[in-house]
């Protein structure tokens, strides 16, 4: 079954051309992520990655108030030391699958992106924020810390000093500030948010998919490497792309003044 047609209890999946729109759908709890939803998210991610017709993903939350309000606190309250560590590892694994996706993943942050919701947005490659977006890591107010990658990804995006201030104070970061510190790529009126995210995703799908995948891999893997090693990785990917039909098509199309028809090989 394709990622676009699978049915899930807490996710809604819709295709817009080559772009999949995934909506986290637990409106009664502001789309909080319980274990069942994370399990579905992982199954969805695997199906999406396997679906050659779908070339980009937009993630958003149901309703007008919240992207994802975090991990489900009712479930967290029942965890002990061993199960909490396992739950954290599981959430990290699911979000890692999205971050390591060779197809671009864009968050359309339509309201609260708190705790695990902020961490989900951080695992996406690009974050578009509605004017009503509110980011934050309130975990320390609950006596825990971010467990789905937040202590690692936020500092890489906004710098350690800002990340520590946000994490330790648990304060909320509104859309304008998120834009100013690089947590959001753009701020958009709420009514246009999803369309703008789909439009950006569609623009990316017109580019060579192997090149997009290689740019993602070189950038993401490189961010954890010394610059010399990152540049070696870049050259290796640059070399591999030169052996693809897509590269020849891209350059030929430029010289012939026409749009390229990439085939992903
Ligand atoms: N888990 C479970 N239920 C949640 C939830 C969450 N993360 N966030 C909201 N809800 C539920 C509320 O309990 C409420 O349910 P009831 O109607 O049954 O009372 C419903 O959603 C609506 O929420 P509110 O009435 O609180 O709505 P509000 O507009 O007054 O406030 C909010 C909105 C500021 C987002 C507030 O709901 C809130 O603070 N939510 C919790 C945010 C949070 O702390 N997230 C971090 C969770 S921990 C985590 O994510 C750990 C990790 O890193 C893995």
């Amino acid at each position: 079954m394709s990622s676009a047609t699978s049915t899930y209890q807490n996710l809604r999946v819709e295709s817009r051309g080559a772009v999949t729109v995934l909506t986290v759908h637990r409106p009664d709890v502001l789309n909080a992520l319980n274990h069942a939803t994370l399990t579905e998210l992982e199954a969805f991610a695997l199906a999406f990655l396997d679906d050659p017709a779908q070339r980009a993903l937009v993630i958003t939350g149901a309703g007008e108030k919240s992207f994802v309000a975090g991990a489900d606190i009712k479930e967290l309250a029942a965890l002990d030391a061993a199960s909490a560590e396992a739950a954290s590892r599981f959430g990290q694994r699911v979000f890692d699958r999205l971050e390591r996706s060779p197809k671009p993943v864009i968050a359309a942050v339509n309201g609260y992106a708190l705790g695990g919701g902020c961490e989900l947005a951080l695992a996406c490659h690009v974050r578009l924020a509605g004017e009503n977006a509110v980011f934050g890591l309130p975990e320390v107010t609950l006596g825990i810390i971010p467990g789905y990658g937040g202590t690692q990804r936020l500092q890489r995006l906004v710098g350690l000093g800002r990340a520590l201030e946000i994490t330790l104070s648990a304060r909320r970061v509104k859309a304008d500030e998120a834009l100013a510190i690089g947590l959001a790529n753009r701020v958009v009126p709420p009514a246009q948010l999803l369309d703008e995210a789909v439009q950006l995703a569609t623009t990316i799908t017109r580019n060579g998919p192997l090149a997009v995948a290689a740019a993602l891999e070189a950038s993401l893997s490189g961010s954890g490497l010394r610059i010399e090693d990152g540049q070696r990785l870049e050259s290796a990917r640059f070399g591999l792309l030169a052996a693809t039909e897509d590269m020849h098509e891209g350059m030929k199309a430029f010289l012939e003044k026409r749009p390229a028809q990439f085939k992903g090989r």
Side-chain angles (χ1 to χ4, degrees), residues 70-88:
D72 190 310
I73 297 171
K74 255 192 201 154
E75 281 189 358
L76 291 182
L79 297 177
D80 60 16
S83 57
E85 182 174 348
S88 166

Side-chain angles (χ1 to χ4, degrees), residues 28-30 32 65 69 71-73 76 115-116 119 138-139 146-148 172:
D28 292 349
V29 288
L30 304 180
K65 188 168 159 184
D72 190 310
I73 297 171
L76 291 182
E119 294 171 292
E139 282 88 344
Y148 298 163
R172 294 181 188 166

Side-chain angles (χ1 to χ4, degrees), residues 17 21 33 43 45 49 85 127 133 142 157 159 166 182 202 211 220 233 241-242 245 249:
V21 176
L33 297 172
L49 292 174
E85 182 174 348
R127 281 151 296 282
L142 299 165
L157 201 58
I166 291 166
T202 303
L220 285 160
L233 175 67
L241 289 168
E245 278 179 37
E249 165 61 9

Side-chain angles (χ1 to χ4, degrees), residues 25-250:
H25 193 273
R26 292 188 78 214
D28 292 349
V29 288
L30 304 180
N31 310 319
L33 297 172
N34 60 0
H35 186 80
T37 308
L38 281 171
T39 302
E40 287 190 349
L41 192 53
E42 183 167 50
F44 162 80
L46 294 173
F48 165 75
L49 292 174
D50 262 2
D51 184 347
Q54 294 301 292
R55 305 247 305 265
L57 175 63
V58 170
I59 302 181
T60 194
E64 290 171 4
K65 188 168 159 184
S66 183
F67 174 69
V68 167
D72 190 310
I73 297 171
K74 255 192 201 154
E75 281 189 358
L76 291 182
L79 297 177
D80 60 16
S83 57
E85 182 174 348
S88 166
R89 294 296 297 157
F90 177 53
Q92 289 171 355
R93 184 178 89 200
V94 176
F95 289 7
D96 283 352
R97 285 195 196 282
L98 296 171
E99 186 179 56
R100 300 311 305 208
S101 157
K103 309 176 190 186
V105 182
I106 297 173
V109 182
N110 58 321
Y112 291 113
L114 298 177
C118 185
E119 294 171 292
L120 174 59
L122 287 168
C124 295
H125 302 132
V126 175
R127 281 151 296 282
L128 301 195
E131 285 163 350
N132 61 336
V134 179
F135 296 84
L137 294 173
E139 282 88 344
V140 294
T141 68
L142 299 165
I144 55 172
I145 63 170
Y148 298 163
T151 60
Q152 306 306 306
R153 289 197 176 97
L154 184 61
Q155 59 165 302
R156 285 167 168 77
L157 201 58
V158 304
L160 182 59
R162 285 192 181 110
L164 282 175
E165 190 224 314
I166 291 166
T167 308
L168 300 180
S169 69
R171 73 177 177 84
R172 294 181 188 166
V173 176
K174 291 187 180 161
D176 286 352
E177 185 188 355
L179 179 66
I181 65 176
L183 179 50
N185 294 70
R186 274 186 226 170
V187 178
V188 179
Q192 292 161 28
L193 178 65
L194 193 57
D195 282 347
E196 195 144 332
V198 170
Q199 204 174 34
L200 175 61
T202 303
T203 300
I204 298 172
T205 64
R206 295 200 188 103
N207 300 326
L210 299 175
V212 167
L216 280 168
E217 203 222 331
S219 303
L220 285 160
S221 297
S223 76
L225 298 176
R226 292 181 315 154
I227 191 160
E228 307 87 285
D229 297 329
Q231 292 197 121
R232 209 162 292 125
L233 175 67
E234 179 182 81
S235 300
R237 292 296 167 275
F238 194 86
L240 280 178
L241 289 168
T244 64
E245 278 179 37
D246 279 359
M247 180 195 110
H248 295 290
E249 165 61 9

